[in-house]
């Protein structure tokens, strides 16, 4: 019987991997640090998220496998010229989903207040050119700096990334801006 225990454990592990093969493709450990110096922001992400240059985002990352895209816009509150945070959040989210068909909210808007920030998130799904995808949107309101971000992945991957996306917005840090 003792000889069967390792074999049973191995069989169970293989069965679990077979049931969730996508989980083997998703890296969610936050080991890389990216900065947006003009705003004094530091963002931690998984190591396979690499910078993509020549975009209008303050920070834009993607994976080699194109399974995740991650974009950040940062604003000093004075740059918003009186635009309410809720309006900015809705406008940016709509712009990102404007080419989608069958758009739906799959995780309702959620607001959370931490010691140094207020975080608003929502998850939407849509389809564009026969590609089904999910977008995680977040608005992070620090004292004096507001951050809007999105992360996009295939609908098959979103459940594996949600905890990492939530952790990214909670661990983002703000230091003195340049």
């Amino acid at each position: 019987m003792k000889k069967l225990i390792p074999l049973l454990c191995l069989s169970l592990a293989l069965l679990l991997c077979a049931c969730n093969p996508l989980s083997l493709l998703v890296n969610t450990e936050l080991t890389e640090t990216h900065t947006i110096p003009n705003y004094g922001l530091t963002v931690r992400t998984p190591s396979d998220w690499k910078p993509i240059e020549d975009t209008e985002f303050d920070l834009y990352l993607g994976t080699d496998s194109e399974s995740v895209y991650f974009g950040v816009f940062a604003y000093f509150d004075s740059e918003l010229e009186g635009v309410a945070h809720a309006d900015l959040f809705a406008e940016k989210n709509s712009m990102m989903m404007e080419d989608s068909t069958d758009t739906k909210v799959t995780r309702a808007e959620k607001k959370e207040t931490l010691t140094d920030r207020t975080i608003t998130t929502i998850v939407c799904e849509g389809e564009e050119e026969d590609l089904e995808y999910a977008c995680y949107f977040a608005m992070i309101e620090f004292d004096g700096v507001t951050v809007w971000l999105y992360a996009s992945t295939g609908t098959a991957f979103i459940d594996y990334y949600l905890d990492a996306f939530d952790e990214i917005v909670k661990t983002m840090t703000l230091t003195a801006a340049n």
Side-chain angles (χ1 to χ4, degrees):
M1 181 65 176
K2 286 184 178 181
K3 290 181 180 181
L4 290 177
I5 291 175
L7 184 58
L8 290 172
C9 290
L10 177 61
S11 298
L12 180 60
L14 290 173
L15 179 62
L16 289 173
C17 288
C19 293
N20 286 315
L22 293 178
S23 66
L24 299 174
L25 302 175
V26 175
N27 175 12
T28 59
E29 186 177 352
L30 306 183
T31 58
E32 288 295 309
T33 301
H34 306 275
T35 60
I36 305 173
N38 294 350
Y39 295 92
L41 288 168
T42 302
V43 181
R44 291 178 42 233
T45 67
S47 61
D48 60 337
W49 295 15
K50 302 297 180 198
I52 298 173
E53 301 299 325
D54 298 326
T55 70
E56 58 191 57
F57 291 95
D58 293 308
L59 177 65
Y60 192 56
L61 307 171
T63 59
D64 289 339
S65 64
E66 299 181 353
S67 63
V68 173
Y69 288 98
F70 178 83
V72 177
F73 282 116
Y75 306 90
F76 290 114
D77 287 347
S78 60
E79 293 176 299
L80 296 177
E81 299 177 348
V83 174
H85 291 135
D87 293 341
L88 177 67
F89 189 56
E91 177 186 329
K92 289 286 191 189
N93 298 354
S94 293
M95 285 174 45
M96 291 302 293
M97 298 297 288
E98 70 185 356
D99 294 332
S100 296
T101 57
D102 299 323
T103 302
K104 62 185 176 220
V105 173
T106 55
R107 186 171 91 175
E109 188 171 304
K110 180 172 76 170
K111 195 168 210 160
E112 181 177 3
T113 301
L114 303 178
T115 307
D116 64 340
R117 73 195 77 192
T118 299
I119 301 168
T120 306
T121 60
I122 192 169
V123 178
C124 299
E125 290 183 3
E127 186 175 324
E128 187 176 342
E129 298 177 14
D130 295 325
L131 177 66
E132 293 180 354
Y133 65 95
C135 283
Y136 173 97
F137 298 108
M139 176 75 67
I140 304 98
E141 300 169 48
F142 292 100
D143 185 25
V145 174
T146 299
V147 177
W148 174 85
L149 70 79
Y150 93 102
S152 177
T153 188
T155 55
F157 290 95
I158 190 66
D159 289 336
Y160 299 104
Y161 279 113
L162 274 177
D163 288 342
F165 296 156
D166 285 338
E167 189 66 17
I168 289 168
V169 299
K170 289 178 183 177
T171 60
M172 185 179 290
T173 58
L174 177 66
T175 59
N178 294 334

